[in-house]
Amino acid sequence: RDFVSVCSKQDLLTDLIVTYKQLSQEDTQDTIRVACVHATLVIANMLNAEENKQHTITAIKDAAEDRSWRVRLTVAKNFHVLCEALGPGLTTAELMGPFIALMKDNEQEVRKEAVRVIQSCIELKEPLTQEQIQQHVLPQFQSLALDPSQAVRAALAQVLGPVAKLLGRDVTQRQLLGLISDLMKDEFHDVRLNIVSHAGLICEVLTVD
């Protein structure tokens, strides 16, 4: 990552991109593939949309499905950085599918980070839109609210306030209110605490005194 960040775009495309692609497919050590995800965060910012389609999108999708949970976790933790680098068009066209898969990942740590990063994604300069959240992310919330991992449910409770603010009163009433009510009664203290900490924001969205 540090090496890539000091290279020129021309050097990257001429000399380094082939090596980067080979290392992102490195078979024996997941630490190398994790490092390649970090390199991708830098490379994606250096390239335009067409170049990213050619050089980084496949690597990102492969990393999101990598057999190593550490690689998938790195993608989940940095998903907002990828969204920012690739822009709304490529995010919508190429990244929403992998993001949904990360929220359904079989490792709870990956699911937790994929949920946590939602808040960062809607706070970007060019954030995930209401449509993207409603169409792709919201349908995952019901199963996440029933997740066997307390940490995943706590992460969901943490982002519901900001998501409600983005989606507005009508959608919150129709699709989030039952979920919020259920999480307020969760057996795990941190889940209840995270919901209650956003109660003011949620009430503001619902215009309830």
Side-chain angles (χ1 to χ4, degrees):
R1 178 180 181 171
D2 293 338
F3 179 63
V4 170
S5 65
V6 297
C7 291
S8 69
K9 179 176 174 179
Q10 184 177 353
D11 287 341
L12 172 67
L13 291 174
T14 305
D15 301 320
L16 295 177
I17 204 75
V18 173
T19 304
Y20 155 74
K21 289 180 179 179
Q22 289 171 343
L23 289 173
S24 69
Q25 299 294 322
E26 216 286 327
D27 225 16
T28 56
Q29 292 185 313
D30 62 0
T31 51
I32 292 175
R33 301 195 303 280
V34 167
C36 282
V37 175
H38 287 295
T40 303
L41 305 178
V42 177
I43 293 169
N45 271 301
M46 297 170 69
L47 305 181
N48 62 36
E50 202 53 47
E51 290 163 343
N52 270 311
K53 279 179 78 172
Q54 185 178 350
H55 298 299
T56 65
I57 290 293
T58 299
I60 294 166
K61 287 181 172 179
D62 288 347
E65 298 176 351
D66 197 278
R67 66 183 180 278
S68 166
W69 69 272
R70 290 180 180 83
V71 179
R72 303 194 305 273
L73 179 66
T74 308
V75 177
K77 281 183 171 181
N78 293 285
F79 188 77
H80 61 300
V81 183
L82 293 169
C83 291
E84 187 170 37
L86 296 175
L90 278 181
T91 296
T92 301
E94 305 287 354
L95 292 192
M96 296 315 295
F99 189 44
I100 290 169
L102 291 170
M103 285 189 280
K104 296 178 176 180
D105 198 272
N106 57 9
E107 285 288 338
Q108 69 172 45
E109 194 67 21
V110 177
R111 296 196 303 277
K112 182 189 80 173
E113 293 300 333
V115 173
R116 284 181 63 182
V117 84
I118 291 169
Q119 183 167 352
S120 298
C121 289
I122 61 180
E123 292 174 349
L124 293 171
K125 188 177 179 181
E126 292 186 287
L128 291 186
T129 63
Q130 288 186 12
E131 184 181 357
Q132 286 171 321
I133 293 292
Q134 203 168 340
Q135 184 177 342
H136 300 286
V137 177
L138 213 53
Q140 319 312 318
F141 279 8
Q142 203 65 51
S143 59
L144 288 165
L146 299 171
D147 197 282
S149 165
Q150 297 170 339
V152 173
R153 300 198 307 276
L156 178 63
Q158 185 69 38
V159 301
L160 281 180
V163 169
K165 184 178 180 181
L166 174 72
L167 295 178
R169 179 180 178 177
D170 290 347
V171 176
T172 298
Q173 282 184 325
R174 286 198 317 269
Q175 300 190 46
L176 290 181
L177 212 50
L179 209 59
I180 291 165
S181 177
D182 289 343
L183 290 171
M184 279 184 168
K185 295 177 281 192
D186 195 276
E187 61 186 20
F188 186 44
H189 171 265
D190 283 4
V191 178
R192 301 194 304 273
L193 180 64
N194 286 351
I195 278 287
V196 169
S197 70
H198 285 101
L201 177 57
I202 293 165
C203 289
E204 186 183 317
V205 172
L206 296 170
T207 60
V208 175
D209 293 327

